[in-house]
Amino acid sequence: MAAPGENLRINPDRLWDSLMEMAKIGPGVAGGNNRQTLTDDDAKGRALFKRWCDEAGLTMGVDKAGNMFARREGTDPDALPVYVGSHLDTQPTGGKFDGVLGVLGGLEVIRTLNDLGIRTKHPIVVVNWTNEEGTRFAPAMLASGVFAGVHTLDWAYDRTDAKGAKFGDELKRIGWVGDEEVGARKMHAYFELHIEQGPILEIEGKDIGVVTHGQGLSWTQVTLTGKEAHTGSTPMPMRKNAGLGMARILELVDEIAWSHKPHAVGAAGHIDVHPNSRNVIPGKVVFTVDFRSPDLAVIADMEQRLKAGATKIAEDLGLGIEFLKVGGFDPVTFDEGCVSAVRRAAERLGYSHRNIISGAGHDACWVNRVAPTSMIMCPCVDGLSHNEAEDISKDWAKAGTDVLFHAVVETAEIVG
Ligand code: HGY
Ligand code: MN
Ligand code: MN
């Protein structure tokens, strides 16, 4: 396939302006974003993205999970499209770039093709996946999981948030239930640009991460049941303190993860304490243990040791305990052909690069099940993400999107 000339580059100022414009929707309280999935702010972000796609001459399709697909025609309408995208939803204390860089970087690829009047054989489709973060509705990557056949649409529709609102009802409320069957679209290839969300590229001074693999993820929700009682008048031997049980289990989670250093990680980000009153011993605690590793056997070992150790802790403290698997996917090996296209693009453009394993989960991890897929990463400041201070440089955004442009356009086959 003819590769794009190394002089072909995207417009970094236009990309940056779009990133900053999108960041105004669902602002956080510390300079980042709180544009959680299926909220009114998510709807506003979707509307802005759709307006930009309309202005770029794209045809928008939406499926029944709210996934958005903006299509630029190719010269061969029967050729399977090359897809490029990520997600616009954010964490409650999210940054301006997690996910958004991948969606608007994909749009910038289209805008640059339009500027240059370049046609490709394969159509190109820019994607916004619904609910990548899984923070309001677990699990993460929910809608791309339905697309890849991992979850049913009905199961996704039944996911509830902390207030009991259902995913399907909220999607309907914001007016983004599309008419396409989820997963009906077939892809020639899928590319996702994403910030690293870790420190490696910045520390090593590399412009580009050529993502060869994604580590696996396991989310286990643990429910501990003790007995509410007065924190002052209840003698220590009589207590059934679910909060104490959680504290000991979280120590165990940390110990298990460290036992598999340097790659495994473990923590709990979601914790609900009931009744969460200053002078009531917690009678119930619900929390989600997030284990990750590039090695499936390590994930299985961590899950098994959590169950055994937490059960023992609960017994010692006279607590009830329940485990529920609420999310997870196996480690991912991305498509060698797509990975090579990314590596060739970085080399052609003169960007420093290194192979990297994605520490975070991404929609690409599910799409990889149904289409040749790979990812491109750019550095982020101090490796920080899922924090409103998340930051990247315009140069990093440019380098990542230049590489995205070349990988996508080479795969879509320039016609002229
Ligand atoms: O959890 C993840 O890795 C992703 O940010 N949803
Ligand atoms: Mn993301
Ligand atoms: Mn994220």
Side-chain angles (χ1 to χ4, degrees):
M1 283 179 284
E6 63 82 32
N7 61 319
L8 295 186
R9 310 280 170 132
I10 59 103
N11 179 332
D13 295 330
R14 176 173 57 196
L15 169 63
W16 196 260
D17 290 348
S18 295
L19 288 165
M20 294 306 110
E21 192 64 27
M22 182 60 74
K24 290 175 188 166
I25 299 175
V29 295
N33 276 109
N34 179 7
R35 190 174 54 247
Q36 293 184 55
T37 196
L38 308 187
T39 58
D40 293 339
D41 283 330
D42 182 17
K44 288 179 194 146
R46 288 165 173 264
L48 177 59
F49 174 57
K50 181 172 185 314
R51 175 163 65 81
W52 283 338
C53 290
D54 293 345
E55 289 165 359
L58 303 181
T59 310
M60 183 66 74
V62 185
D63 70 18
K64 291 179 178 174
N67 296 314
M68 300 171 73
F69 304 101
R71 177 183 167 113
R72 182 182 197 256
E73 287 310 326
T75 56
D76 178 353
D78 300 327
L80 288 182
V82 174
Y83 284 69
V84 53
S86 191
H87 62 92
L88 292 174
D89 67 308
T90 76
Q91 287 285 337
T93 56
K96 299 189 282 284
F97 306 101
D98 171 0
V100 185
L101 178 63
V103 177
L104 300 188
L107 178 61
E108 177 54 33
V109 169
I110 300 292
R111 287 168 165 172
T112 301
L113 287 171
N114 289 345
D115 288 348
L116 300 171
I118 290 177
R119 295 180 306 153
T120 55
K121 173 189 172 195
H122 295 262
I124 297 173
V125 177
V126 187
V127 191
N128 169 36
W129 297 105
T130 304
N131 188 35
E132 187 281 341
E133 292 294 359
T135 183
R136 186 182 172 199
F137 300 99
M141 299 106 75
L142 180 58
S144 54
V146 179
F147 186 89
V150 175
H151 313 303
T152 66
L153 183 62
D154 287 345
W155 185 81
Y157 278 179
D158 277 348
R159 296 310 93 214
T160 56
D161 68 8
K163 293 179 185 147
K166 283 194 173 184
F167 177 93
D169 296 340
E170 282 295 279
L171 184 64
K172 197 170 177 185
R173 182 186 67 80
I174 67 165
W176 279 93
V177 180
D179 54 6
E180 292 184 13
E181 291 307 319
V182 187
R185 286 174 173 261
K186 301 303 169 206
M187 301 178 173
H188 180 56
Y190 175 73
F191 292 93
E192 181 163 354
L193 167 64
H194 206 287
I195 62 173
E196 180 196 340
Q197 298 181 297
I200 297 168
L201 295 174
E202 184 184 41
I203 288 170
E204 294 185 4
K206 293 287 190 293
D207 302 315
I208 298 292
V210 179
V211 188
T212 56
H213 299 82
Q215 72 174 347
L217 172 153
S218 160
W219 280 0
T220 302
Q221 180 175 288
V222 181
T223 301
L224 286 173
T225 312
K227 188 174 180 183
E228 281 90 14
H230 198 298
T231 51
S233 54
T234 310
M236 291 302 278
M238 287 176 61
R239 296 180 177 209
K240 293 189 184 300
N241 185 341
L244 177 60
M246 178 188 69
R248 291 184 181 173
I249 291 170
L250 295 188
E251 272 291 342
L252 172 66
V253 166
D254 194 62
E255 185 190 302
I256 291 170
W258 275 107
S259 75
H260 285 291
K261 67 179 185 288
H263 295 302
V265 292
H270 152 246
I271 296 175
D272 285 328
V273 179
H274 305 273
N276 202 24
S277 166
R278 290 176 181 78
N279 41 13
V280 177
I281 294 167
K284 181 180 170 188
V285 179
V286 184
F287 56 100
T288 304
V289 175
D290 179 325
F291 277 134
R292 309 212 189 183
S293 166
D295 181 334
L296 190 56
V298 168
I299 292 175
D301 176 65
M302 294 198 285
E303 287 177 334
Q304 189 277 323
R305 285 163 63 188
L306 167 67
K307 279 217 174 72
T311 302
K312 175 78 171 59
I313 288 166
E315 271 165 17
D316 292 349
L317 294 174
L319 304 174
I321 188 165
E322 289 167 51
F323 301 94
L324 179 65
K325 188 81 179 280
V326 292
F329 58 86
D330 292 353
V332 168
T333 301
F334 289 116
D335 174 78
E336 191 39 54
C338 290
V339 170
S340 305
V342 170
R343 191 176 295 113
R344 279 198 303 277
E347 285 161 359
R348 183 184 312 131
L349 293 162
Y351 288 126
S352 59
H353 59 88
R354 58 106 82 199
N355 291 350
I356 198 166
I357 295 173
S358 174
H362 303 285
D363 295 305
C365 296
W366 283 143
V367 177
N368 188 57
R369 292 190 172 208
V370 293
T373 297
S374 75
M375 294 187 71
I376 301 153
M377 283 187 173
C378 75
C380 55
V381 175
D382 299 335
L384 186 64
S385 183
H386 287 193
N387 181 306
E388 290 204 46
E390 175 189 282
D391 199 9
I392 64 172
S393 71
K394 190 188 281 190
D395 285 346
W396 287 342
K398 171 178 170 14
T401 311
D402 275 340
V403 170
L404 182 71
F405 177 88
H406 276 247
V408 166
V409 173
E410 180 183 18
T411 307
E413 298 180 49
I414 291 181
V415 168

